[in-house]
Amino acid sequence: ERVVEVGDLARLDPDRVRRKGVPEVIYAPGKSPADTARLATVMSEAAGFALVSRVDADHDEALAAAAAAAGAEYERFGSGRRLVARGASRPQPAPGGPAIGILAAGTSDVDVAEEARMVAETMGVTVTTAYDVGVSALHRLAEPLAAMLKDAVDALVVVAGMEGALPSVVGGLVSAPVIAVPTSVGYGAGGGGLAALLGMLQSCSPGITVVNIDNGIGAGASAGLIAVRAAAARARAADPRPV
């Protein structure tokens, strides 16, 4: 397995996506914009792409400049960023391949939801999204959720702040695994995501798994792994010959 050393700054793992199925993600907070851009550039050259999480405006400026200098494509996913090296190819999901749906309760939850999309799509998963479908106007949920179920998504990521009710509602309606993501959106006591986290952990809807507050990266990875394995099982059932 390769380890790419970047001076004394980091030891990158460009083969993780092949070994684990989930790419390494560079966590921007706590790193200078220059160091973040340097790591992303080296990773994109080694792996063909680089993912960066929780980017602020200064990180974004440095990353965009580094991508332009390297001739890499620069893509924004909420607070996440992806650099795709010149000539590198993205995974292309096949019909009937791995697929997930991502639901966000409110527009304040979209940054977290988009980081989940960034990870899952980089894993070769087809992602369908529906945002601003929270419980304050529950009729908004019916149509996009029905479309996801018609498409037979393998898992659902459901992102919500405030009291965190949306995953429980969705979990009571679907048979697919639900990955619930509490966000740090809320007022006063229980704000910062704690009320949403505890509500999701106490859900009486079966089949819900809860990740940490604002952890769209972990939710996208978990849902992606479920979807990839489900698609592999479908492929084996369709063609059971030894590979």
Side-chain angles (χ1 to χ4, degrees), residues 77 93 97-104 113-114 116-118 120-121 124-131 133 141 143-159 223 227:
F77 296 82
I100 68 169
I102 300 179
L103 302 164
E114 282 288 285
R117 180 169 77 92
M118 176 179 71
E121 286 187 350
V125 176
T126 297
V127 180
T128 304
T129 63
Y131 298 157
V133 293
L141 174 65
E143 184 176 347
L145 181 58
M148 292 176 184
L149 297 179
K150 182 178 180 181
D151 290 341
V153 295
D154 298 301
L156 290 163
V157 173
V158 186
V159 186

PDB file of all heavy atoms in Angstrom, residues 77 93 97-104 113-114 116-118 120-121 124-131 133 141 143-159 223 227:
ATOM      1  N   PHE A  77     -19.327  21.084  -3.154  1.00  0.00           N
ATOM      2  CA  PHE A  77     -20.440  20.304  -2.607  1.00  0.00           C
ATOM      3  C   PHE A  77     -20.741  20.865  -1.212  1.00  0.00           C
ATOM      4  O   PHE A  77     -20.238  20.352  -0.202  1.00  0.00           O
ATOM      5  CB  PHE A  77     -20.088  18.826  -2.479  1.00  0.00           C
ATOM      6  CG  PHE A  77     -19.809  18.117  -3.780  1.00  0.00           C
ATOM      7  CD1 PHE A  77     -18.559  18.216  -4.383  1.00  0.00           C
ATOM      8  CD2 PHE A  77     -20.782  17.343  -4.392  1.00  0.00           C
ATOM      9  CE1 PHE A  77     -18.287  17.555  -5.564  1.00  0.00           C
ATOM     10  CE2 PHE A  77     -20.521  16.685  -5.587  1.00  0.00           C
ATOM     11  CZ  PHE A  77     -19.272  16.792  -6.173  1.00  0.00           C
ATOM     12  N   PRO A  93     -21.534   5.240 -12.469  1.00  0.00           N
ATOM     13  CA  PRO A  93     -22.483   4.217 -12.015  1.00  0.00           C
ATOM     14  C   PRO A  93     -23.247   3.610 -13.190  1.00  0.00           C
ATOM     15  O   PRO A  93     -23.669   4.325 -14.101  1.00  0.00           O
ATOM     16  CB  PRO A  93     -23.419   4.991 -11.087  1.00  0.00           C
ATOM     17  CG  PRO A  93     -22.656   6.225 -10.715  1.00  0.00           C
ATOM     18  CD  PRO A  93     -21.803   6.557 -11.887  1.00  0.00           C
ATOM     19  N   GLY A  97     -26.952  -0.159 -10.709  1.00  0.00           N
ATOM     20  CA  GLY A  97     -25.812  -0.144  -9.795  1.00  0.00           C
ATOM     21  C   GLY A  97     -26.187   0.483  -8.458  1.00  0.00           C
ATOM     22  O   GLY A  97     -27.360   0.744  -8.166  1.00  0.00           O
ATOM     23  N   PRO A  98     -25.188   0.760  -7.625  1.00  0.00           N
ATOM     24  CA  PRO A  98     -25.461   1.309  -6.295  1.00  0.00           C
ATOM     25  C   PRO A  98     -26.134   2.670  -6.378  1.00  0.00           C
ATOM     26  O   PRO A  98     -25.763   3.514  -7.198  1.00  0.00           O
ATOM     27  CB  PRO A  98     -24.069   1.412  -5.660  1.00  0.00           C
ATOM     28  CG  PRO A  98     -23.109   1.436  -6.818  1.00  0.00           C
ATOM     29  CD  PRO A  98     -23.743   0.609  -7.885  1.00  0.00           C
ATOM     30  N   ALA A  99     -27.127   2.882  -5.522  1.00  0.00           N
ATOM     31  CA  ALA A  99     -27.878   4.139  -5.539  1.00  0.00           C
ATOM     32  C   ALA A  99     -28.367   4.472  -4.144  1.00  0.00           C
ATOM     33  O   ALA A  99     -28.788   3.590  -3.390  1.00  0.00           O
ATOM     34  CB  ALA A  99     -29.069   4.038  -6.501  1.00  0.00           C
ATOM     35  N   ILE A 100     -28.297   5.750  -3.793  1.00  0.00           N
ATOM     36  CA  ILE A 100     -28.824   6.209  -2.510  1.00  0.00           C
ATOM     37  C   ILE A 100     -29.639   7.478  -2.733  1.00  0.00           C
ATOM     38  O   ILE A 100     -29.529   8.140  -3.766  1.00  0.00           O
ATOM     39  CB  ILE A 100     -27.722   6.492  -1.466  1.00  0.00           C
ATOM     40  CG1 ILE A 100     -26.868   7.711  -1.875  1.00  0.00           C
ATOM     41  CG2 ILE A 100     -26.853   5.263  -1.244  1.00  0.00           C
ATOM     42  CD1 ILE A 100     -25.946   8.196  -0.767  1.00  0.00           C
ATOM     43  N   GLY A 101     -30.460   7.808  -1.734  1.00  0.00           N
ATOM     44  CA  GLY A 101     -31.162   9.081  -1.706  1.00  0.00           C
ATOM     45  C   GLY A 101     -30.684   9.890  -0.513  1.00  0.00           C
ATOM     46  O   GLY A 101     -30.344   9.324   0.533  1.00  0.00           O
ATOM     47  N   ILE A 102     -30.637  11.204  -0.671  1.00  0.00           N
ATOM     48  CA  ILE A 102     -30.266  12.093   0.431  1.00  0.00           C
ATOM     49  C   ILE A 102     -31.380  13.116   0.608  1.00  0.00           C
ATOM     50  O   ILE A 102     -31.753  13.820  -0.335  1.00  0.00           O
ATOM     51  CB  ILE A 102     -28.933  12.809   0.175  1.00  0.00           C
ATOM     52  CG1 ILE A 102     -27.802  11.800  -0.007  1.00  0.00           C
ATOM     53  CG2 ILE A 102     -28.611  13.760   1.333  1.00  0.00           C
ATOM     54  CD1 ILE A 102     -26.440  12.428  -0.286  1.00  0.00           C
ATOM     55  N   LEU A 103     -31.907  13.203   1.824  1.00  0.00           N
ATOM     56  CA  LEU A 103     -32.947  14.151   2.186  1.00  0.00           C
ATOM     57  C   LEU A 103     -32.402  15.110   3.229  1.00  0.00           C
ATOM     58  O   LEU A 103     -31.755  14.679   4.196  1.00  0.00           O
ATOM     59  CB  LEU A 103     -34.159  13.417   2.762  1.00  0.00           C
ATOM     60  CG  LEU A 103     -34.822  12.363   1.867  1.00  0.00           C
ATOM     61  CD1 LEU A 103     -35.721  11.461   2.693  1.00  0.00           C
ATOM     62  CD2 LEU A 103     -35.623  13.044   0.760  1.00  0.00           C
ATOM     63  N   ALA A 104     -32.659  16.400   3.049  1.00  0.00           N
ATOM     64  CA  ALA A 104     -32.275  17.398   4.042  1.00  0.00           C
ATOM     65  C   ALA A 104     -33.520  18.126   4.508  1.00  0.00           C
ATOM     66  O   ALA A 104     -34.345  18.559   3.699  1.00  0.00           O
ATOM     67  CB  ALA A 104     -31.272  18.383   3.460  1.00  0.00           C
ATOM     68  N   ALA A 113     -25.474  17.750   3.952  1.00  0.00           N
ATOM     69  CA  ALA A 113     -26.001  16.793   2.980  1.00  0.00           C
ATOM     70  C   ALA A 113     -25.125  16.715   1.738  1.00  0.00           C
ATOM     71  O   ALA A 113     -24.882  15.631   1.188  1.00  0.00           O
ATOM     72  CB  ALA A 113     -27.430  17.185   2.593  1.00  0.00           C
ATOM     73  N   GLU A 114     -24.618  17.851   1.296  1.00  0.00           N
ATOM     74  CA  GLU A 114     -23.788  17.875   0.100  1.00  0.00           C
ATOM     75  C   GLU A 114     -22.439  17.191   0.314  1.00  0.00           C
ATOM     76  O   GLU A 114     -21.879  16.597  -0.610  1.00  0.00           O
ATOM     77  CB  GLU A 114     -23.590  19.311  -0.364  1.00  0.00           C
ATOM     78  CG  GLU A 114     -24.784  19.872  -1.112  1.00  0.00           C
ATOM     79  CD  GLU A 114     -24.910  19.233  -2.495  1.00  0.00           C
ATOM     80  OE1 GLU A 114     -24.133  19.586  -3.386  1.00  0.00           O
ATOM     81  OE2 GLU A 114     -25.782  18.351  -2.656  1.00  0.00           O
ATOM     82  N   ALA A 116     -22.100  14.572   2.156  1.00  0.00           N
ATOM     83  CA  ALA A 116     -22.458  13.155   1.994  1.00  0.00           C
ATOM     84  C   ALA A 116     -22.546  12.791   0.516  1.00  0.00           C
ATOM     85  O   ALA A 116     -22.063  11.723   0.089  1.00  0.00           O
ATOM     86  CB  ALA A 116     -23.788  12.869   2.694  1.00  0.00           C
ATOM     87  N   ARG A 117     -23.138  13.665  -0.288  1.00  0.00           N
ATOM     88  CA  ARG A 117     -23.227  13.402  -1.728  1.00  0.00           C
ATOM     89  C   ARG A 117     -21.844  13.326  -2.363  1.00  0.00           C
ATOM     90  O   ARG A 117     -21.589  12.455  -3.213  1.00  0.00           O
ATOM     91  CB  ARG A 117     -24.058  14.498  -2.407  1.00  0.00           C
ATOM     92  CG  ARG A 117     -24.196  14.311  -3.922  1.00  0.00           C
ATOM     93  CD  ARG A 117     -25.224  15.250  -4.511  1.00  0.00           C
ATOM     94  NE  ARG A 117     -24.746  16.608  -4.662  1.00  0.00           N
ATOM     95  CZ  ARG A 117     -24.173  17.074  -5.772  1.00  0.00           C
ATOM     96  NH1 ARG A 117     -23.989  16.287  -6.823  1.00  0.00           N
ATOM     97  NH2 ARG A 117     -23.786  18.336  -5.845  1.00  0.00           N
ATOM     98  N   MET A 118     -20.960  14.218  -1.967  1.00  0.00           N
ATOM     99  CA  MET A 118     -19.613  14.229  -2.520  1.00  0.00           C
ATOM    100  C   MET A 118     -18.908  12.886  -2.321  1.00  0.00           C
ATOM    101  O   MET A 118     -18.318  12.332  -3.252  1.00  0.00           O
ATOM    102  CB  MET A 118     -18.797  15.346  -1.854  1.00  0.00           C
ATOM    103  CG  MET A 118     -17.342  15.405  -2.272  1.00  0.00           C
ATOM    104  SD  MET A 118     -16.444  16.774  -1.473  1.00  0.00           S
ATOM    105  CE  MET A 118     -16.341  16.179   0.242  1.00  0.00           C
ATOM    106  N   ALA A 120     -20.303   9.852  -1.547  1.00  0.00           N
ATOM    107  CA  ALA A 120     -20.983   8.728  -2.194  1.00  0.00           C
ATOM    108  C   ALA A 120     -20.753   8.736  -3.704  1.00  0.00           C
ATOM    109  O   ALA A 120     -20.501   7.680  -4.311  1.00  0.00           O
ATOM    110  CB  ALA A 120     -22.482   8.769  -1.873  1.00  0.00           C
ATOM    111  N   GLU A 121     -20.833   9.894  -4.334  1.00  0.00           N
ATOM    112  CA  GLU A 121     -20.610   9.946  -5.774  1.00  0.00           C
ATOM    113  C   GLU A 121     -19.179   9.562  -6.133  1.00  0.00           C
ATOM    114  O   GLU A 121     -18.949   8.918  -7.167  1.00  0.00           O
ATOM    115  CB  GLU A 121     -20.940  11.339  -6.308  1.00  0.00           C
ATOM    116  CG  GLU A 121     -22.433  11.624  -6.363  1.00  0.00           C
ATOM    117  CD  GLU A 121     -22.768  12.933  -7.049  1.00  0.00           C
ATOM    118  OE1 GLU A 121     -21.827  13.732  -7.324  1.00  0.00           O
ATOM    119  OE2 GLU A 121     -23.959  13.165  -7.311  1.00  0.00           O
ATOM    120  N   GLY A 124     -18.707   5.999  -6.661  1.00  0.00           N
ATOM    121  CA  GLY A 124     -19.387   5.401  -7.806  1.00  0.00           C
ATOM    122  C   GLY A 124     -20.855   5.134  -7.593  1.00  0.00           C
ATOM    123  O   GLY A 124     -21.453   4.304  -8.292  1.00  0.00           O
ATOM    124  N   VAL A 125     -21.457   5.841  -6.645  1.00  0.00           N
ATOM    125  CA  VAL A 125     -22.860   5.635  -6.295  1.00  0.00           C
ATOM    126  C   VAL A 125     -23.710   6.715  -6.954  1.00  0.00           C
ATOM    127  O   VAL A 125     -23.365   7.897  -6.937  1.00  0.00           O
ATOM    128  CB  VAL A 125     -23.040   5.678  -4.759  1.00  0.00           C
ATOM    129  CG1 VAL A 125     -24.502   5.566  -4.366  1.00  0.00           C
ATOM    130  CG2 VAL A 125     -22.216   4.565  -4.102  1.00  0.00           C
ATOM    131  N   THR A 126     -24.841   6.327  -7.521  1.00  0.00           N
ATOM    132  CA  THR A 126     -25.812   7.287  -8.016  1.00  0.00           C
ATOM    133  C   THR A 126     -26.545   7.910  -6.836  1.00  0.00           C
ATOM    134  O   THR A 126     -27.043   7.194  -5.965  1.00  0.00           O
ATOM    135  CB  THR A 126     -26.822   6.616  -8.957  1.00  0.00           C
ATOM    136  OG1 THR A 126     -26.126   6.107 -10.101  1.00  0.00           O
ATOM    137  CG2 THR A 126     -27.895   7.584  -9.410  1.00  0.00           C
ATOM    138  N   VAL A 127     -26.603   9.229  -6.793  1.00  0.00           N
ATOM    139  CA  VAL A 127     -27.212   9.943  -5.667  1.00  0.00           C
ATOM    140  C   VAL A 127     -28.363  10.811  -6.160  1.00  0.00           C
ATOM    141  O   VAL A 127     -28.201  11.607  -7.086  1.00  0.00           O
ATOM    142  CB  VAL A 127     -26.177  10.825  -4.946  1.00  0.00           C
ATOM    143  CG1 VAL A 127     -26.829  11.566  -3.777  1.00  0.00           C
ATOM    144  CG2 VAL A 127     -25.003   9.991  -4.452  1.00  0.00           C
ATOM    145  N   THR A 128     -29.524  10.645  -5.527  1.00  0.00           N
ATOM    146  CA  THR A 128     -30.676  11.511  -5.758  1.00  0.00           C
ATOM    147  C   THR A 128     -30.905  12.336  -4.507  1.00  0.00           C
ATOM    148  O   THR A 128     -30.864  11.797  -3.394  1.00  0.00           O
ATOM    149  CB  THR A 128     -31.932  10.677  -6.065  1.00  0.00           C
ATOM    150  OG1 THR A 128     -31.680   9.821  -7.176  1.00  0.00           O
ATOM    151  CG2 THR A 128     -33.114  11.575  -6.384  1.00  0.00           C
ATOM    152  N   THR A 129     -31.118  13.639  -4.657  1.00  0.00           N
ATOM    153  CA  THR A 129     -31.275  14.508  -3.498  1.00  0.00           C
ATOM    154  C   THR A 129     -32.628  15.198  -3.499  1.00  0.00           C
ATOM    155  O   THR A 129     -33.230  15.445  -4.550  1.00  0.00           O
ATOM    156  CB  THR A 129     -30.176  15.588  -3.461  1.00  0.00           C
ATOM    157  OG1 THR A 129     -30.293  16.432  -4.619  1.00  0.00           O
ATOM    158  CG2 THR A 129     -28.800  14.966  -3.421  1.00  0.00           C
ATOM    159  N   ALA A 130     -33.105  15.524  -2.290  1.00  0.00           N
ATOM    160  CA  ALA A 130     -34.286  16.363  -2.099  1.00  0.00           C
ATOM    161  C   ALA A 130     -34.058  17.172  -0.824  1.00  0.00           C
ATOM    162  O   ALA A 130     -33.882  16.596   0.259  1.00  0.00           O
ATOM    163  CB  ALA A 130     -35.553  15.525  -1.983  1.00  0.00           C
ATOM    164  N   TYR A 131     -34.050  18.500  -0.968  1.00  0.00           N
ATOM    165  CA  TYR A 131     -33.712  19.379   0.147  1.00  0.00           C
ATOM    166  C   TYR A 131     -34.901  20.262   0.518  1.00  0.00           C
ATOM    167  O   TYR A 131     -35.780  20.529  -0.305  1.00  0.00           O
ATOM    168  CB  TYR A 131     -32.510  20.245  -0.217  1.00  0.00           C
ATOM    169  CG  TYR A 131     -31.238  19.463  -0.496  1.00  0.00           C
ATOM    170  CD1 TYR A 131     -30.221  19.995  -1.273  1.00  0.00           C
ATOM    171  CD2 TYR A 131     -31.052  18.177   0.025  1.00  0.00           C
ATOM    172  CE1 TYR A 131     -29.050  19.284  -1.523  1.00  0.00           C
ATOM    173  CE2 TYR A 131     -29.897  17.458  -0.219  1.00  0.00           C
ATOM    174  CZ  TYR A 131     -28.896  18.019  -0.998  1.00  0.00           C
ATOM    175  OH  TYR A 131     -27.741  17.308  -1.253  1.00  0.00           O
ATOM    176  N   VAL A 133     -37.260  19.542   2.903  1.00  0.00           N
ATOM    177  CA  VAL A 133     -38.444  18.677   2.971  1.00  0.00           C
ATOM    178  C   VAL A 133     -38.730  18.260   4.417  1.00  0.00           C
ATOM    179  O   VAL A 133     -39.171  17.154   4.688  1.00  0.00           O
ATOM    180  CB  VAL A 133     -38.275  17.421   2.072  1.00  0.00           C
ATOM    181  CG1 VAL A 133     -38.249  17.815   0.612  1.00  0.00           C
ATOM    182  CG2 VAL A 133     -37.005  16.633   2.433  1.00  0.00           C
ATOM    183  N   LEU A 141     -42.386  16.289   1.527  1.00  0.00           N
ATOM    184  CA  LEU A 141     -41.588  15.062   1.522  1.00  0.00           C
ATOM    185  C   LEU A 141     -42.155  13.989   0.599  1.00  0.00           C
ATOM    186  O   LEU A 141     -41.390  13.184   0.037  1.00  0.00           O
ATOM    187  CB  LEU A 141     -41.508  14.510   2.947  1.00  0.00           C
ATOM    188  CG  LEU A 141     -40.827  13.153   3.148  1.00  0.00           C
ATOM    189  CD1 LEU A 141     -39.347  13.219   2.789  1.00  0.00           C
ATOM    190  CD2 LEU A 141     -41.012  12.672   4.595  1.00  0.00           C
ATOM    191  N   GLU A 143     -43.569  13.504  -2.452  1.00  0.00           N
ATOM    192  CA  GLU A 143     -43.209  13.270  -3.856  1.00  0.00           C
ATOM    193  C   GLU A 143     -41.756  12.833  -4.026  1.00  0.00           C
ATOM    194  O   GLU A 143     -41.487  11.821  -4.693  1.00  0.00           O
ATOM    195  CB  GLU A 143     -43.496  14.510  -4.697  1.00  0.00           C
ATOM    196  CG  GLU A 143     -43.245  14.306  -6.177  1.00  0.00           C
ATOM    197  CD  GLU A 143     -43.622  15.516  -7.002  1.00  0.00           C
ATOM    198  OE1 GLU A 143     -44.298  16.421  -6.463  1.00  0.00           O
ATOM    199  OE2 GLU A 143     -43.245  15.573  -8.191  1.00  0.00           O
ATOM    200  N   PRO A 144     -40.760  13.554  -3.448  1.00  0.00           N
ATOM    201  CA  PRO A 144     -39.377  13.105  -3.652  1.00  0.00           C
ATOM    202  C   PRO A 144     -39.079  11.763  -3.003  1.00  0.00           C
ATOM    203  O   PRO A 144     -38.325  10.954  -3.561  1.00  0.00           O
ATOM    204  CB  PRO A 144     -38.534  14.228  -3.038  1.00  0.00           C
ATOM    205  CG  PRO A 144     -39.451  14.996  -2.169  1.00  0.00           C
ATOM    206  CD  PRO A 144     -40.813  14.858  -2.762  1.00  0.00           C
ATOM    207  N   LEU A 145     -39.690  11.485  -1.845  1.00  0.00           N
ATOM    208  CA  LEU A 145     -39.448  10.195  -1.212  1.00  0.00           C
ATOM    209  C   LEU A 145     -40.051   9.075  -2.054  1.00  0.00           C
ATOM    210  O   LEU A 145     -39.415   8.020  -2.239  1.00  0.00           O
ATOM    211  CB  LEU A 145     -40.032  10.173   0.200  1.00  0.00           C
ATOM    212  CG  LEU A 145     -39.825   8.879   0.982  1.00  0.00           C
ATOM    213  CD1 LEU A 145     -38.339   8.549   1.125  1.00  0.00           C
ATOM    214  CD2 LEU A 145     -40.478   8.961   2.356  1.00  0.00           C
ATOM    215  N   ALA A 146     -41.234   9.284  -2.590  1.00  0.00           N
ATOM    216  CA  ALA A 146     -41.848   8.268  -3.454  1.00  0.00           C
ATOM    217  C   ALA A 146     -40.984   8.005  -4.675  1.00  0.00           C
ATOM    218  O   ALA A 146     -40.829   6.854  -5.115  1.00  0.00           O
ATOM    219  CB  ALA A 146     -43.245   8.715  -3.871  1.00  0.00           C
ATOM    220  N   ALA A 147     -40.389   9.053  -5.241  1.00  0.00           N
ATOM    221  CA  ALA A 147     -39.528   8.874  -6.411  1.00  0.00           C
ATOM    222  C   ALA A 147     -38.282   8.070  -6.056  1.00  0.00           C
ATOM    223  O   ALA A 147     -37.852   7.195  -6.830  1.00  0.00           O
ATOM    224  CB  ALA A 147     -39.132  10.237  -6.974  1.00  0.00           C
ATOM    225  N   MET A 148     -37.709   8.317  -4.889  1.00  0.00           N
ATOM    226  CA  MET A 148     -36.537   7.554  -4.466  1.00  0.00           C
ATOM    227  C   MET A 148     -36.890   6.084  -4.258  1.00  0.00           C
ATOM    228  O   MET A 148     -36.124   5.188  -4.635  1.00  0.00           O
ATOM    229  CB  MET A 148     -35.952   8.151  -3.184  1.00  0.00           C
ATOM    230  CG  MET A 148     -35.324   9.516  -3.368  1.00  0.00           C
ATOM    231  SD  MET A 148     -34.745  10.213  -1.800  1.00  0.00           S
ATOM    232  CE  MET A 148     -34.187  11.841  -2.331  1.00  0.00           C
ATOM    233  N   LEU A 149     -38.038   5.836  -3.660  1.00  0.00           N
ATOM    234  CA  LEU A 149     -38.449   4.453  -3.442  1.00  0.00           C
ATOM    235  C   LEU A 149     -38.762   3.759  -4.761  1.00  0.00           C
ATOM    236  O   LEU A 149     -38.463   2.573  -4.936  1.00  0.00           O
ATOM    237  CB  LEU A 149     -39.665   4.419  -2.516  1.00  0.00           C
ATOM    238  CG  LEU A 149     -39.438   4.965  -1.100  1.00  0.00           C
ATOM    239  CD1 LEU A 149     -40.722   4.893  -0.291  1.00  0.00           C
ATOM    240  CD2 LEU A 149     -38.313   4.231  -0.394  1.00  0.00           C
ATOM    241  N   LYS A 150     -39.332   4.492  -5.706  1.00  0.00           N
ATOM    242  CA  LYS A 150     -39.592   3.913  -7.030  1.00  0.00           C
ATOM    243  C   LYS A 150     -38.294   3.533  -7.715  1.00  0.00           C
ATOM    244  O   LYS A 150     -38.219   2.508  -8.421  1.00  0.00           O
ATOM    245  CB  LYS A 150     -40.370   4.904  -7.886  1.00  0.00           C
ATOM    246  CG  LYS A 150     -40.738   4.372  -9.266  1.00  0.00           C
ATOM    247  CD  LYS A 150     -41.557   5.387 -10.054  1.00  0.00           C
ATOM    248  CE  LYS A 150     -41.908   4.844 -11.437  1.00  0.00           C
ATOM    249  NZ  LYS A 150     -42.691   5.833 -12.226  1.00  0.00           N
ATOM    250  N   ASP A 151     -37.255   4.335  -7.493  1.00  0.00           N
ATOM    251  CA  ASP A 151     -35.943   4.034  -8.063  1.00  0.00           C
ATOM    252  C   ASP A 151     -35.191   2.965  -7.276  1.00  0.00           C
ATOM    253  O   ASP A 151     -34.076   2.591  -7.654  1.00  0.00           O
ATOM    254  CB  ASP A 151     -35.085   5.306  -8.106  1.00  0.00           C
ATOM    255  CG  ASP A 151     -35.594   6.309  -9.132  1.00  0.00           C
ATOM    256  OD1 ASP A 151     -36.339   5.902 -10.032  1.00  0.00           O
ATOM    257  OD2 ASP A 151     -35.245   7.496  -9.021  1.00  0.00           O
ATOM    258  N   ALA A 152     -35.794   2.481  -6.183  1.00  0.00           N
ATOM    259  CA  ALA A 152     -35.231   1.394  -5.374  1.00  0.00           C
ATOM    260  C   ALA A 152     -33.834   1.731  -4.863  1.00  0.00           C
ATOM    261  O   ALA A 152     -32.892   0.948  -5.008  1.00  0.00           O
ATOM    262  CB  ALA A 152     -35.214   0.088  -6.159  1.00  0.00           C
ATOM    263  N   VAL A 153     -33.698   2.910  -4.244  1.00  0.00           N
ATOM    264  CA  VAL A 153     -32.410   3.256  -3.652  1.00  0.00           C
ATOM    265  C   VAL A 153     -32.043   2.236  -2.581  1.00  0.00           C
ATOM    266  O   VAL A 153     -32.909   1.664  -1.914  1.00  0.00           O
ATOM    267  CB  VAL A 153     -32.429   4.679  -3.066  1.00  0.00           C
ATOM    268  CG1 VAL A 153     -32.620   5.717  -4.167  1.00  0.00           C
ATOM    269  CG2 VAL A 153     -33.496   4.834  -1.992  1.00  0.00           C
ATOM    270  N   ASP A 154     -30.746   2.017  -2.427  1.00  0.00           N
ATOM    271  CA  ASP A 154     -30.268   1.001  -1.481  1.00  0.00           C
ATOM    272  C   ASP A 154     -30.212   1.508  -0.054  1.00  0.00           C
ATOM    273  O   ASP A 154     -30.200   0.710   0.896  1.00  0.00           O
ATOM    274  CB  ASP A 154     -28.873   0.531  -1.905  1.00  0.00           C
ATOM    275  CG  ASP A 154     -28.883  -0.112  -3.279  1.00  0.00           C
ATOM    276  OD1 ASP A 154     -29.611  -1.101  -3.459  1.00  0.00           O
ATOM    277  OD2 ASP A 154     -28.173   0.383  -4.181  1.00  0.00           O
ATOM    278  N   ALA A 155     -30.141   2.816   0.136  1.00  0.00           N
ATOM    279  CA  ALA A 155     -30.091   3.411   1.470  1.00  0.00           C
ATOM    280  C   ALA A 155     -30.490   4.870   1.352  1.00  0.00           C
ATOM    281  O   ALA A 155     -30.449   5.461   0.270  1.00  0.00           O
ATOM    282  CB  ALA A 155     -28.697   3.292   2.071  1.00  0.00           C
ATOM    283  N   LEU A 156     -30.885   5.443   2.486  1.00  0.00           N
ATOM    284  CA  LEU A 156     -31.250   6.854   2.546  1.00  0.00           C
ATOM    285  C   LEU A 156     -30.424   7.553   3.606  1.00  0.00           C
ATOM    286  O   LEU A 156     -30.266   7.040   4.721  1.00  0.00           O
ATOM    287  CB  LEU A 156     -32.733   7.014   2.876  1.00  0.00           C
ATOM    288  CG  LEU A 156     -33.730   6.612   1.789  1.00  0.00           C
ATOM    289  CD1 LEU A 156     -35.115   6.419   2.385  1.00  0.00           C
ATOM    290  CD2 LEU A 156     -33.770   7.676   0.696  1.00  0.00           C
ATOM    291  N   VAL A 157     -29.897   8.707   3.274  1.00  0.00           N
ATOM    292  CA  VAL A 157     -29.261   9.594   4.246  1.00  0.00           C
ATOM    293  C   VAL A 157     -30.265  10.704   4.543  1.00  0.00           C
ATOM    294  O   VAL A 157     -30.752  11.363   3.616  1.00  0.00           O
ATOM    295  CB  VAL A 157     -27.953  10.192   3.698  1.00  0.00           C
ATOM    296  CG1 VAL A 157     -27.399  11.244   4.660  1.00  0.00           C
ATOM    297  CG2 VAL A 157     -26.929   9.096   3.458  1.00  0.00           C
ATOM    298  N   VAL A 158     -30.585  10.901   5.815  1.00  0.00           N
ATOM    299  CA  VAL A 158     -31.579  11.903   6.200  1.00  0.00           C
ATOM    300  C   VAL A 158     -30.929  12.871   7.179  1.00  0.00           C
ATOM    301  O   VAL A 158     -30.485  12.476   8.263  1.00  0.00           O
ATOM    302  CB  VAL A 158     -32.824  11.251   6.826  1.00  0.00           C
ATOM    303  CG1 VAL A 158     -33.892  12.313   7.088  1.00  0.00           C
ATOM    304  CG2 VAL A 158     -33.384  10.165   5.912  1.00  0.00           C
ATOM    305  N   VAL A 159     -30.863  14.132   6.785  1.00  0.00           N
ATOM    306  CA  VAL A 159     -30.119  15.159   7.501  1.00  0.00           C
ATOM    307  C   VAL A 159     -31.100  16.156   8.110  1.00  0.00           C
ATOM    308  O   VAL A 159     -31.980  16.677   7.402  1.00  0.00           O
ATOM    309  CB  VAL A 159     -29.157  15.887   6.545  1.00  0.00           C
ATOM    310  CG1 VAL A 159     -28.270  16.863   7.317  1.00  0.00           C
ATOM    311  CG2 VAL A 159     -28.308  14.892   5.758  1.00  0.00           C
ATOM    312  N   ALA A 223     -23.625   4.966   3.783  1.00  0.00           N
ATOM    313  CA  ALA A 223     -24.666   4.689   2.796  1.00  0.00           C
ATOM    314  C   ALA A 223     -24.065   4.163   1.501  1.00  0.00           C
ATOM    315  O   ALA A 223     -24.615   3.257   0.862  1.00  0.00           O
ATOM    316  CB  ALA A 223     -25.480   5.956   2.526  1.00  0.00           C
ATOM    317  N   ALA A 227     -24.803   0.580  -0.354  1.00  0.00           N
ATOM    318  CA  ALA A 227     -25.273   0.547  -1.735  1.00  0.00           C
ATOM    319  C   ALA A 227     -24.358  -0.280  -2.627  1.00  0.00           C
ATOM    320  O   ALA A 227     -24.833  -1.051  -3.478  1.00  0.00           O
ATOM    321  CB  ALA A 227     -25.387   1.977  -2.275  1.00  0.00           C
TER     322      ALA A 227
END
